[in-house]
Amino acid sequence: MTSLSVIVPVKDEEGSLPQLYKELSSTLKKISAPYEIIFIDDGSEDKSGKILSELKKKDTRIKIITFRGNFGKSAALSAGFEKAKYSTIVTLDADLQDDPHEIVRLLKKLSQGYDLVGGWRKNRIDPLSKKISSFFFNKGTVFISGVKLHDFNCGLKVFNKTVADSLHLHGELHRFLPILAAKMRFKVAEIEVIHRPRRFGKSKFGFERSWRGMIDLLTTIFITDYATKPAHFFGRIGFILFLSGICMDGYVTYLKITTGSTQDKIPLLLAGILFTLLGVQLISTGLIAEMLAHYLLHNDPAIKKYKK
């Protein structure tokens, strides 16, 4: 029988918490499996903490983790993963836009042999600006990561505890849970889920998250694809720059030898020198990083996370 640890990050959601608990507990009772609900109060400044305390008095299956301040969703999820005791993890947002009743369908998909199943908010109920931003974010993420999903940042997901134990979230990496799991060779899938309009509070979304998201995406790709082979990353870029610089300077040298003049190609000569030096530096950086990775692979117990 599946046992569930439901993890819900909370930041100023006093209006939605009572209804969320009602819907969530109703759904979990229908599943007829052992469960716990872990709320992480991520520095709420409203009455969220008080409401959670009142709910805990009524339901012993509720656990509360309280942060001293706002440390972000990745930190909240990490704390929840560490606290969770059951074999299957469920995550969802506290704003009621995720429908708790969809958990049943996600669990059914998970039982078909997958390690992580996420929600796809195909008919998303959000402002147009948020839809556009999300569209480009998801398309860009597919292009860069190679993981073919439609919705990476849906808060509603179910996955095995082994996946959660393999993840080390920081910054904004919670948005890339499916990528992190897929790169560790876990089986990942998604299904369409209902998305509802926000009824209470304000969205935590801001345009400043867009550029941070791109940086975090590159971080995710680097630590998953190149963590154990950094020379491939730095060396590839360095080799391209080095070869480009050699070609530029070779062309100017050819002109000087055959015509006796650089034909006003001094800027090209200087660019070639710059590219050559940058290429050598990046190749050297890759080799140094490779030595460090080799040391860590043979001395750091954390490498066990890559093993089955």
Side-chain angles (χ1 to χ4, degrees):
M1 180 182 292
T2 301
S3 52
L4 305 175
S5 291
V6 182
I7 300 174
V8 187
V10 177
K11 177 66 172 78
D12 298 332
E13 297 290 356
E14 60 181 7
S16 63
L17 285 174
Q19 181 64 26
L20 172 65
Y21 169 72
K22 181 179 179 181
E23 294 185 22
L24 187 56
S25 59
S26 174
T27 299
L28 294 174
K29 288 174 181 177
K30 290 179 182 178
I31 296 175
S32 299
Y35 71 88
E36 62 181 352
I37 305 175
I38 304 173
F39 290 102
I40 302 93
D41 185 358
D42 188 19
S44 294
E45 298 177 351
D46 60 3
K47 297 179 181 178
S48 294
K50 183 178 179 180
I51 294 172
L52 290 175
S53 297
E54 292 298 321
L55 291 174
K56 185 177 181 180
K57 293 178 182 178
K58 302 176 182 178
D59 191 340
T60 57
R61 287 168 291 199
I62 289 179
K63 298 179 181 179
I64 301 174
I65 301 174
T66 303
F67 288 173
R68 291 189 299 272
N70 179 216
F71 289 94
K73 191 172 181 179
S74 289
L77 289 175
S78 291
F81 295 163
E82 186 175 346
K83 189 78 171 179
K85 67 178 182 180
Y86 289 131
S87 60
T88 302
I89 304 292
V90 179
T91 65
L92 74 161
D93 294 333
D95 56 13
L96 283 177
Q97 289 194 267
D98 295 330
D99 187 348
H101 298 95
E102 295 284 10
I103 293 174
V104 177
R105 296 178 56 242
L106 290 167
L107 289 172
K108 184 178 180 180
K109 184 70 174 180
L110 187 74
S111 67
Q112 295 175 9
Y114 293 98
D115 299 298
L116 182 149
V117 179
W120 172 19
R121 299 164 293 183
K122 187 174 183 180
N123 298 313
R124 189 165 179 171
I125 312 299
D126 275 321
L128 180 61
S129 59
K130 195 170 181 178
K131 289 181 180 180
I132 294 174
S133 176
S134 179
F135 173 81
F136 285 109
F137 171 79
N138 286 310
K139 290 296 183 183
T141 300
V142 171
F143 177 76
I144 295 175
S145 70
V147 179
K148 297 181 180 180
L149 298 178
H150 298 87
D151 191 350
F152 290 90
N153 198 27
C154 179
L156 187 57
K157 297 181 178 71
V158 300
F159 43 96
N160 297 324
K161 185 71 160 56
T162 51
V163 176
D165 291 340
S166 301
L167 301 175
H168 300 278
L169 300 181
H170 60 274
E172 299 283 334
L173 295 188
H174 64 272
R175 293 191 243 179
F176 306 110
L177 279 176
I179 296 177
L180 292 169
K183 296 297 183 180
M184 290 181 181
R185 303 301 185 264
F186 289 110
K187 293 184 66 176
V188 175
E190 68 180 354
I191 62 172
E192 294 182 26
V193 295
I194 296 172
H195 190 239
R196 306 185 294 193
R198 175 180 274 274
R199 295 169 53 190
F200 307 98
K202 296 180 180 180
S203 173
K204 312 302 184 295
F205 172 83
F207 280 104
E208 72 279 359
R209 290 181 60 189
S210 298
W211 66 269
R212 291 204 311 250
M214 289 300 102
I215 294 174
D216 287 320
L217 174 58
L218 294 176
T219 300
T220 301
I221 298 303
F222 186 79
I223 65 178
T224 53
D225 285 354
Y226 298 102
T228 58
K229 47 184 179 180
H232 289 201
F233 178 81
F234 292 106
R236 182 180 302 173
I237 301 174
F239 180 75
I240 293 173
L241 290 174
F242 179 80
L243 186 61
S244 299
I246 291 296
C247 290
M248 292 176 186
D249 289 345
Y251 174 65
V252 176
T253 302
Y254 170 77
L255 290 177
K256 180 66 176 178
I257 293 174
T258 57
T259 67
S261 170
T262 60
Q263 299 184 7
D264 298 324
K265 295 295 191 298
I266 295 300
L268 183 63
L269 176 66
L270 296 176
I273 294 173
L274 176 62
F275 278 32
T276 301
L277 291 175
L278 286 175
V280 171
Q281 287 182 329
L282 284 173
I283 292 172
S284 300
T285 299
L287 293 175
I288 294 172
E290 195 73 29
M291 287 188 290
L292 291 173
H294 178 79
Y295 172 80
L296 292 173
L297 280 170
H298 291 83
N299 295 277
D300 190 351
I303 196 62
K304 292 179 181 179
K305 70 181 182 179
Y306 291 103
K307 297 180 181 180
K308 188 174 180 181

